[in-house]
Amino acid sequence: MTDRSTPLGRFWSEFRENRIALVALWVVVVISALAVLAPLYAPQDPYDIGKLVLTDARRPPGHVGVGGYTYWLGTDAQGRDLLSAILYGLRISVQIGIAAGAIAFAVGGTMGAVAAFLGGRTEILIMRFVDMQLSFPAILLALVLSAVLGQGKWQLIAALVAAQYAYFARTAHGAASAERAKEYIEAALSTPLSSRAVVFRHLLPNCMPPLIVVATVQVANSIALEATLSFLGLGLPVTEPSLGMLIANGFQYMLSGRYWISIYPGVALIVLILAINLVGDQIRDQLNPRLKR
Amino acid sequence: MLGFLIQRILQAVVVMLAISALVFVGVFAVGNPIDVLISPDVTQQIRLDTIARYGFDQPLWKQYLAFLDRLVRADFGRSFVFNMPVLDLILSRLPATLELTLAAVLGATLLGVPLGMYAGYKPDSLVSKAIMGLSILGFSVPTFWIGLILILVFAVNLGWLPAGGRGATVPILGVEWSFLTAEGLKHLLLPALTLSLFRLALMIRLARAGMREAILSDYVKFARAQGLSEGKVIGGHVLKNISIPIVTVFGLEFGATLAFAVVTETIFSWPGLGKLIIDSIQSLDRPVMVAYLMLVAFLFIMINFLVDIAYAALDPRLRTGRA
């Protein structure tokens, strides 16, 4: 039962009509929950080096290990249970994707809205800078930054934010420029409200729909970018294997037919990214007034 | 038009300067090259001499000015690792990357445009839905994963194609090319396919959107009313009209693909620029990193500059007023 009388209710009931998007949304929710709760139920703690059994290294899926339990998805080169490693890896991916997406959202959204609000030289300066950055591929920027900043979770997030905030700034600027000209902003400005209050309470909230679409795409992109950087050996430290690193570590064994070390983490990664993109596609179609029936 | 040109050239120079400062400071922050250059058991004197020879004892701003000076003279120094001039090193790796990038972008365009046009022409057919599914997959699956799967299927399981390297090359005008030999082509196929899948998805979307818009337009109606066959309407009129955005994206994507080649080259051990930069980052080979970054920055600024000029030439409104 959904309430069709509120805007959110109407949005939801329209969203539900697309079966694929609905399934994708469920997949995103389930994977996120599994990832966040991983330490509570995962069969092994993949970060605890003391618990790893080296004689169980590179075993195929279904192998029963020395400890007596079954490695359903096999083990990697260090004897890690791949199922546990994937769950912990997903946890890192989701954390980094959401953290990078949220910070880029806040920084980029504010920059774009402030530029549109102030206008004049400030606007030209900010937007020229953003445009300049948008003309460079995000992957290259993230690559160089993570090389410069070194390894670690926060360094990686900083590199991802720097590579992606510009998309939010561009979108927020476009939306805010259109909103800026409307009467309610003028009305708000004629009251004794500070400019900061006008920007954050009135201007920015009205720019949300396109920003939300960008956010879903960028969370998926952050996750893919993080995996790519880790695959190249520039992301997280080896002690906390993310999905990209698990795939990279398995790569050398793949040529000799031990496919599972790379394949299963990759499948988990792609299912997550694909599901987020499908949800994002549906939200975009619903918010696009030109496609309205 | 002249004023516009001068303004844009000045802008490009300012951007290039800003990037050179960023690259210099950024690369300066990565590790200590002295540890790479000198073995730890040399005498203190040799150590100090080497530091002085590379100018590492100077203050940062002096090093930057010296760096700019060398940059203007296109002197990028010698690679710490390969012990050869960086420019020669980069020029020797460039053809491999260009070949790979060109193969990927051309392949994506030649395949993606017809597929996208079909999907736009018959949006409800099953084939079109399959094409659009392929394009969503192309957007979602990270490049390195596509490469891994292709290696697993075609190199490990089927054994049809090699998993890495460039194969035999044929020199033309002193430059080695892979695509002229059967073996080289075999080596090129998997990396090019890996690199092109994202571009393919993009081209499909562009061509589909263009087709859907064009099919409702007046010129298509008139062309049909004239009694032209559907083939002529689509191949002649629609294709011409949707080719403008496609050519633009082709140009812009060429640069982006060059950057993305980093990942593909690492997976397939393709001896191009991308593999060089990853190796240099890992071995702290500063001169190579700096030269690569400046080269890519220059390339992107040039591409954007040319796109701006082309737009200004096509659209008089951009030349006057606010630029």
Side-chain angles (χ1 to χ4, degrees), chain B residues 97-112 188-200 203 250 253-254 257-258 261 264:
Chain B
T97 297
L98 278 182
E99 182 176 31
L100 179 62
T101 309
L102 210 59
V105 178
L106 266 181
T109 311
L110 293 180
L111 202 65
L188 182 61
L189 193 60
L190 286 187
L193 197 62
T194 305
L195 194 54
S196 72
L197 210 64
F198 181 84
R199 275 14 77 168
L200 183 69
M203 285 297 173
F250 181 93
E253 276 302 307
F254 188 75
T257 312
L258 218 58
T264 311

Side-chain angles (χ1 to χ4, degrees), chain A residues 128-129 131-132 135-140 143-144 147-149 221 224-225 227-229 231-234 243-244 247-248 251 254-257 259 262-267 269-270 273-275 277-278 281 284 290-291, chain B residues 8 11 15 18-19 22 25-27 29-30 136-137 139-145 148-149 151-152 155-156 163 205 213 255-256 259-260 262-263 266-268 277-278 281-282 289 292-293 296-298 300-301 304 323:
Chain A
R128 262 290 137 83
F129 187 77
D131 282 344
M132 186 186 94
S135 68
F136 289 93
I139 179 136
L140 212 61
L143 199 78
V144 173
V148 168
L149 297 173
N221 278 351
L225 212 54
T228 305
L229 290 176
F231 179 79
L232 294 172
L234 294 167
L243 291 176
I247 296 168
F251 182 41
M254 209 170 78
L255 296 177
S256 56
Y259 64 90
S262 277
I263 293 296
Y264 292 129
V267 170
L269 180 71
I270 286 164
I273 296 174
L274 194 64
N277 276 341
L278 285 170
D281 259 13
R284 190 194 57 209
R290 277 191 289 178
L291 288 180
Chain B
R8 279 299 146 103
Q11 255 177 29
V15 170
I19 289 173
L22 282 177
V25 173
V27 172
V30 192
I136 289 190
L137 214 63
F139 272 124
S140 297
V141 182
T143 311
F144 72 92
W145 179 250
L148 288 188
I149 295 297
I151 288 182
L152 186 67
V156 179
R205 292 214 162 185
E213 218 165 274
F260 259 99
V262 170
V263 180
T266 310
I267 299 169
F268 289 94
I277 182 68
I278 292 288
I281 288 176
Q282 268 150 10
M289 287 165 72
Y292 175 85
L293 292 174
V296 171
F298 180 71
F300 271 91
I301 288 169
N304 284 316

Side-chain angles (χ1 to χ4, degrees), chain A residues 244-262:
Chain A
M245 198 180 300
L246 286 174
I247 296 168
N249 290 341
F251 182 41
Q252 49 178 319
Y253 300 105
M254 209 170 78
L255 296 177
S256 56
R258 297 192 182 89
Y259 64 90
W260 59 90
I261 308 178
S262 277

